Amino acid sequence: MSEHHQEPHHGLALGSILGALLAISPTIIGLIVVLAGLLGIGPQAKHDAPVIDNAAIEERIKPVAEVAIAAPIAAPGQGKSGEQVVTAICSACHAVGALGSPKIGDAAAWGPRIAQGYETLVKHAINGIRSMPPRGGSTSLSDEEVAGAVAYMANKAGAHFKAPPSK
Ligand code: HEC
């Protein structure tokens, strides 16, 4: 009687252990797969991230990037000459006539602009006008530095502006 009573109980216990093993085996397999992936040995390890061709992207955005990036060229208090400012900042556009800017040395392009007068040109260079960004995009430039750069560029195209002394 007691044996009969024990057997089903025994079978049940065995069954539930097997059942439990079966139930957690997907978890174990899953863990192994994850671990293998972490160790770089599973099939997932061959799954490379898409290759981003930085050079190609840089090439594509180059004209915009060259125009947009105008690094500060001087610590505050250290005035740069008009030529230095033009070389470092303004020439990014004005050397090549980017965005329709008057090209350095192009008297025909600068003529009507020079006719506006030095003060107006300086004001436009400081505040920006149409596609011309304020201070050529280099906000750390002082008014004097911008004025010096305007004189330098305009004089290259036939003006005789006298830049204020740079501070
Ligand atoms: C991002 C390109 C870019 C940079 C950098 C740039 N300019 Fe210009 N600039 C322009 C464009 C475009 C124009 C023509 C704007 C127009 O008249 O539509 C212009 C026009 C001018 C003019 C003529 C404004 C007028 O009233 O006719 C002056 C002066 C000038 N820029 C000075 C400067 C100086 C000084 C710097 C450097 C500090 C500079 N620019 C940097 C694009 C630029």
Side-chain angles (χ1 to χ4, degrees):
M1 180 82 176
S2 63
E3 261 187 19
H4 273 278
H5 199 72
Q6 283 279 36
E7 253 174 21
H9 187 74
H10 213 72
L12 191 68
L14 208 76
S16 52
I17 287 167
L18 279 173
L21 274 175
L22 277 174
I24 61 166
S25 60
T27 314
I28 291 167
I29 291 165
L31 271 174
I32 289 167
V33 168
V34 168
L35 277 174
L38 284 177
L39 294 172
I41 45 180
Q44 280 176 338
K46 292 276 166 282
H47 215 90
D48 281 336
V51 176
I52 295 163
D53 190 343
N54 279 330
I57 291 170
E58 270 166 29
E59 193 54 40
R60 250 174 283 142
I61 65 168
K62 210 171 159 194
V64 178
E66 274 175 3
V67 164
I69 299 166
I73 53 161
Q78 281 182 282
K80 295 276 175 192
S81 73
E83 182 178 1
Q84 284 174 314
V85 172
V86 169
T87 302
I89 307 295
C90 321
S91 61
C93 291
H94 286 274
V96 292
L99 307 174
S101 56
K103 230 169 134 173
I104 295 168
D106 184 342
W110 276 99
R113 299 182 185 271
I114 289 168
Q116 298 177 100
Y118 185 43
E119 265 180 48
T120 302
L121 288 183
V122 170
K123 209 159 73 189
H124 289 167
I126 288 172
N127 298 325
I129 179 168
R130 292 177 286 270
S131 311
M132 162 73 202
R135 295 173 204 270
S138 185
T139 50
S140 63
L141 288 178
S142 69
D143 290 359
E144 289 75 21
E145 285 169 326
V146 175
V150 171
Y152 179 82
M153 282 200 289
N155 291 351
K156 286 261 174 195
H160 300 283
F161 296 144
K162 196 169 165 352
S166 63
K167 281 180 188 160

Coordinates of all heavy atoms in Angstrom, one line a residue, residues 66-68 70 85-86 89-94 97-102 110 112-114 116 120-122 124-126 129-138 141 145-151 153-154, ligand 1:
E66 N 33.7 73.7 -45.6 CA 34.8 74.8 -45.7 C 34.2 76.1 -45.4 O 34.8 77.0 -44.9 CB 35.4 74.7 -47.1 CG 36.6 73.7 -47.1 CD 37.1 73.5 -48.5 OE1 36.7 74.2 -49.4 OE2 38.0 72.6 -48.6
V67 N 33.0 76.3 -45.9 CA 32.3 77.6 -45.7 C 31.9 77.8 -44.3 O 32.0 78.8 -43.7 CB 31.1 77.7 -46.6 CG1 30.2 78.8 -46.2 CG2 31.6 77.9 -48.1
A68 N 31.4 76.7 -43.7 CA 30.8 76.8 -42.3 C 31.8 76.9 -41.2 O 31.6 77.6 -40.2 CB 29.9 75.7 -42.1
A70 N 34.7 78.3 -39.5 CA 35.6 79.4 -39.4 C 36.2 79.5 -38.0 O 35.5 79.9 -37.1 CB 34.9 80.7 -39.7
V85 N 43.4 88.2 -41.1 CA 42.0 87.8 -41.0 C 41.5 87.3 -42.3 O 40.8 86.3 -42.4 CB 41.2 89.0 -40.5 CG1 39.7 88.7 -40.5 CG2 41.6 89.5 -39.1
V86 N 41.8 88.0 -43.4 CA 41.4 87.6 -44.7 C 41.9 86.2 -45.0 O 41.1 85.3 -45.4 CB 41.8 88.6 -45.8 CG1 41.5 88.0 -47.2 CG2 41.0 89.9 -45.6
I89 N 40.1 83.7 -42.5 CA 38.6 83.6 -42.4 C 37.9 83.9 -43.8 O 37.3 83.1 -44.4 CB 38.0 84.6 -41.4 CG1 38.7 84.4 -40.0 CG2 36.5 84.4 -41.3 CD1 38.4 83.1 -39.3
C90 N 38.1 85.1 -44.2 CA 37.3 85.6 -45.3 C 37.6 84.9 -46.6 O 36.8 84.8 -47.5 CB 37.6 87.1 -45.5 SG 37.7 88.0 -43.9
S91 N 38.9 84.5 -46.8 CA 39.3 83.9 -48.1 C 38.6 82.6 -48.3 O 38.5 82.1 -49.4 CB 40.8 83.7 -48.1 OG 41.2 82.8 -47.1
A92 N 38.0 82.0 -47.2 CA 37.3 80.7 -47.4 C 36.2 80.9 -48.5 O 35.9 80.0 -49.3 CB 36.6 80.3 -46.1
C93 N 35.6 82.1 -48.5 CA 34.6 82.4 -49.5 C 35.1 83.3 -50.6 O 35.0 83.1 -51.8 CB 33.3 83.0 -48.9 SG 32.4 81.9 -47.9
H94 N 35.8 84.4 -50.1 CA 36.1 85.5 -51.0 C 37.3 85.1 -52.0 O 37.5 85.8 -53.0 CB 36.4 86.8 -50.3 CG 35.2 87.4 -49.7 ND1 34.4 88.3 -50.4 CD2 34.6 87.3 -48.5 CE1 33.4 88.7 -49.7 NE2 33.4 88.1 -48.5
G97 N 35.1 83.2 -54.6 CA 33.8 83.8 -54.9 C 32.6 82.9 -54.5 O 31.5 82.9 -55.1
A98 N 32.8 82.1 -53.4 CA 31.8 81.2 -53.0 C 30.5 81.9 -52.6 O 30.6 83.0 -52.1 CB 32.3 80.4 -51.8
L99 N 29.4 81.3 -52.9 CA 28.0 81.9 -52.5 C 27.8 83.2 -53.2 O 26.9 83.9 -52.8 CB 27.9 82.0 -51.0 CG 28.2 80.8 -50.1 CD1 28.1 81.2 -48.7 CD2 27.2 79.7 -50.5
G100 N 28.5 83.5 -54.3 CA 28.4 84.8 -55.0 C 29.1 85.9 -54.3 O 28.7 87.1 -54.6
S101 N 30.0 85.6 -53.5 CA 30.8 86.7 -52.8 C 31.7 87.3 -53.8 O 32.2 86.7 -54.7 CB 31.6 86.1 -51.6 OG 32.5 85.1 -52.1
P102 N 32.0 88.7 -53.7 CA 33.0 89.3 -54.5 C 34.3 88.7 -54.3 O 34.8 88.7 -53.2 CB 32.9 90.8 -54.1 CG 32.3 90.8 -52.8 CD 31.4 89.6 -52.7
W110 N 34.0 94.1 -57.1 CA 34.1 94.9 -55.9 C 33.6 96.4 -56.2 O 33.2 97.1 -55.3 CB 35.5 94.9 -55.3 CG 35.7 93.7 -54.4 CD1 36.3 92.6 -54.7 CD2 35.4 93.6 -53.0 NE1 36.4 91.7 -53.7 CE2 35.8 92.3 -52.6 CE3 34.7 94.5 -52.1 CZ2 35.6 91.9 -51.3 CZ3 34.5 94.0 -50.8 CH2 35.0 92.8 -50.4
P112 N 31.0 98.2 -57.5 CA 29.8 98.7 -56.9 C 29.7 98.6 -55.4 O 29.1 99.4 -54.8 CB 28.7 97.8 -57.5 CG 29.4 96.9 -58.5 CD 30.8 97.0 -58.3
R113 N 30.4 97.6 -54.9 CA 30.4 97.5 -53.4 C 31.3 98.6 -52.8 O 30.9 99.2 -51.8 CB 30.9 96.1 -53.0 CG 30.0 95.0 -53.6 CD 30.4 93.6 -53.2 NE 29.6 92.6 -53.9 CZ 28.4 92.1 -53.4 NH1 28.0 92.6 -52.3 NH2 27.8 91.2 -54.0
I114 N 32.4 98.8 -53.4 CA 33.3 99.9 -52.9 C 32.6 101.2 -52.9 O 32.8 102.0 -52.0 CB 34.6 99.9 -53.7 CG1 35.5 98.6 -53.4 CG2 35.4 101.1 -53.4 CD1 36.6 98.4 -54.3
Q116 N 29.8 101.9 -52.2 CA 28.9 102.2 -51.1 C 29.6 102.9 -49.9 O 29.0 103.4 -49.0 CB 28.4 100.8 -50.5 CG 27.5 100.0 -51.5 CD 27.1 98.7 -50.9 OE1 26.0 98.5 -50.4 NE2 28.1 97.7 -50.9
T120 N 29.9 101.6 -44.8 CA 28.8 100.7 -45.1 C 29.3 99.3 -45.3 O 28.7 98.3 -44.8 CB 28.1 101.2 -46.4 OG1 27.6 102.5 -46.2 CG2 26.9 100.3 -46.7
L121 N 30.4 99.2 -46.0 CA 31.0 97.8 -46.2 C 31.4 97.2 -44.9 O 31.1 96.0 -44.6 CB 32.2 97.9 -47.1 CG 32.0 98.2 -48.6 CD1 33.3 98.2 -49.3 CD2 31.0 97.2 -49.2
V122 N 32.0 98.0 -44.0 CA 32.4 97.4 -42.7 C 31.1 97.0 -41.9 O 31.1 95.9 -41.3 CB 33.2 98.5 -41.9 CG1 33.4 98.0 -40.5 CG2 34.6 98.7 -42.6
H124 N 28.3 96.1 -43.1 CA 27.7 94.8 -43.7 C 28.6 93.6 -43.3 O 28.1 92.5 -43.1 CB 27.6 95.0 -45.2 CG 26.6 95.9 -45.7 ND1 26.5 96.4 -47.0 CD2 25.5 96.5 -45.0 CE1 25.4 97.2 -47.1 NE2 24.9 97.3 -45.9
A125 N 29.9 93.8 -43.3 CA 30.8 92.7 -42.9 C 30.6 92.3 -41.4 O 30.6 91.2 -41.1 CB 32.2 93.1 -43.2
I126 N 30.3 93.3 -40.6 CA 30.1 93.0 -39.2 C 28.8 92.4 -38.9 O 28.6 91.4 -38.2 CB 30.3 94.3 -38.3 CG1 31.8 94.7 -38.3 CG2 29.8 94.1 -36.9 CD1 32.0 96.1 -37.6
I129 N 25.3 90.4 -44.5 CA 24.3 90.8 -45.5 C 24.1 89.7 -46.5 O 25.0 89.1 -47.0 CB 24.9 92.1 -46.3 CG1 23.9 92.5 -47.3 CG2 26.2 91.9 -46.9 CD1 24.2 93.9 -47.9
R130 N 22.8 89.3 -46.7 CA 22.4 88.2 -47.5 C 23.2 87.0 -47.1 O 23.2 86.5 -46.0 CB 22.5 88.6 -49.0 CG 21.4 89.6 -49.3 CD 21.5 90.0 -50.8 NE 22.6 90.9 -51.0 CZ 22.6 92.2 -51.0 NH1 21.4 92.8 -50.7 NH2 23.6 93.0 -51.2
S131 N 24.0 86.4 -48.1 CA 24.7 85.1 -47.8 C 26.0 85.4 -47.1 O 26.8 84.5 -46.7 CB 25.1 84.4 -49.1 OG 23.9 84.2 -49.9
M132 N 26.3 86.7 -46.8 CA 27.6 87.0 -46.1 C 27.3 87.0 -44.6 O 26.5 87.7 -44.1 CB 28.0 88.4 -46.6 CG 29.0 89.1 -45.6 SD 30.6 88.5 -45.7 CE 31.3 89.0 -44.1
P133 N 27.9 86.0 -43.9 CA 27.6 85.8 -42.5 C 28.3 86.9 -41.7 O 29.3 87.5 -42.1 CB 28.2 84.5 -42.1 CG 29.3 84.3 -43.2 CD 28.9 85.0 -44.4
P134 N 27.7 87.3 -40.6 CA 28.3 88.3 -39.7 C 29.7 88.0 -39.4 O 30.0 86.8 -39.0 CB 27.4 88.3 -38.4 CG 26.1 87.8 -38.9 CD 26.4 86.8 -40.0
R135 N 30.6 88.9 -39.5 CA 32.1 88.7 -39.2 C 32.6 87.5 -40.0 O 33.5 86.8 -39.5 CB 32.3 88.6 -37.7 CG 32.0 89.8 -37.0 CD 32.1 89.7 -35.5 NE 31.2 90.7 -34.8 CZ 31.6 91.9 -34.5 NH1 32.9 92.3 -34.7 NH2 30.8 92.7 -33.9
G136 N 32.0 87.2 -41.1 CA 32.5 86.0 -41.9 C 32.3 84.7 -41.1 O 32.9 83.7 -41.5
G137 N 31.4 84.7 -40.1 CA 31.1 83.5 -39.4 C 32.1 83.4 -38.2 O 31.9 82.4 -37.4
S138 N 33.0 84.2 -38.1 CA 34.0 84.1 -36.9 C 33.7 85.2 -35.9 O 34.2 86.3 -35.9 CB 35.4 84.3 -37.5 OG 36.3 84.1 -36.4
L141 N 36.0 87.7 -33.9 CA 36.7 88.9 -34.5 C 36.2 90.2 -33.9 O 35.0 90.4 -33.8 CB 36.5 88.9 -36.0 CG 37.2 87.8 -36.9 CD1 36.9 87.9 -38.3 CD2 38.7 87.8 -36.7
E145 N 39.2 94.2 -36.4 CA 39.8 93.2 -37.2 C 38.9 93.0 -38.5 O 39.5 92.8 -39.6 CB 39.8 91.8 -36.5 CG 41.0 91.8 -35.4 CD 40.9 90.6 -34.5 OE1 39.7 90.2 -34.1 OE2 41.9 90.1 -34.1
V146 N 37.6 93.1 -38.4 CA 36.7 92.9 -39.6 C 37.0 94.1 -40.5 O 37.1 94.0 -41.7 CB 35.3 92.9 -39.1 CG1 34.4 92.9 -40.4 CG2 35.0 91.6 -38.3
A147 N 37.1 95.3 -39.9 CA 37.3 96.5 -40.7 C 38.6 96.4 -41.4 O 38.7 96.8 -42.6 CB 37.3 97.8 -39.8
G148 N 39.6 95.9 -40.8 CA 40.9 95.8 -41.4 C 40.8 94.8 -42.6 O 41.5 95.0 -43.6
A149 N 40.1 93.7 -42.4 CA 39.9 92.7 -43.5 C 39.2 93.3 -44.6 O 39.5 93.1 -45.8 CB 39.2 91.5 -42.9
V150 N 38.2 94.1 -44.3 CA 37.4 94.8 -45.4 C 38.3 95.7 -46.2 O 38.3 95.6 -47.5 CB 36.2 95.6 -44.9 CG1 35.6 96.4 -46.0 CG2 35.2 94.7 -44.2
A151 N 39.1 96.5 -45.5 CA 40.0 97.4 -46.2 C 41.0 96.6 -47.1 O 41.3 96.9 -48.2 CB 40.8 98.2 -45.2
M153 N 40.7 93.6 -48.4 CA 40.1 93.0 -49.6 C 39.7 94.1 -50.6 O 39.9 93.9 -51.8 CB 38.9 92.2 -49.2 CG 39.2 90.8 -48.7 SD 37.9 89.6 -48.8 CE 36.8 90.3 -47.5
A154 N 39.1 95.1 -50.1 CA 38.6 96.2 -51.1 C 39.8 96.9 -51.8 O 39.8 97.1 -53.0 CB 37.8 97.2 -50.3
Ligands
HEC1 C1 30.6 82.0 -45.8 C2 31.2 82.8 -46.9 C3 31.8 84.1 -46.6 C4 32.8 84.4 -45.7 C5 33.6 83.5 -44.8 C6 33.0 85.8 -45.8 N1 32.2 86.4 -46.7 FE1 32.0 88.3 -47.2 N2 30.6 87.9 -48.5 C7 30.1 86.7 -48.7 C8 29.0 86.8 -49.7 C9 28.2 85.6 -50.2 C10 28.9 88.1 -50.0 C11 27.9 88.8 -51.0 C12 26.7 89.1 -50.2 C13 25.7 89.8 -51.1 O1 25.9 91.0 -51.4 O2 24.7 89.2 -51.5 C14 29.9 88.8 -49.3 C15 30.1 90.2 -49.3 C16 31.0 90.9 -48.6 C17 31.2 92.3 -48.6 C18 30.5 93.3 -49.4 C19 29.2 93.7 -48.7 C20 28.5 94.7 -49.4 O3 27.8 95.5 -48.8 O4 28.5 94.7 -50.7 C21 32.2 92.6 -47.7 C22 32.8 93.9 -47.3 C23 32.6 91.3 -47.1 N3 31.9 90.3 -47.6 C24 33.6 91.2 -46.2 C25 34.0 90.0 -45.6 C26 35.0 89.9 -44.6 C27 35.8 91.0 -44.0 C28 35.1 88.6 -44.3 C29 36.0 87.9 -43.2 C30 36.0 88.5 -41.9 C31 34.1 87.8 -45.1 N4 33.5 88.8 -45.9 C32 34.0 86.5 -45.0 C33 30.5 85.5 -48.2 C34 31.4 85.4 -47.2

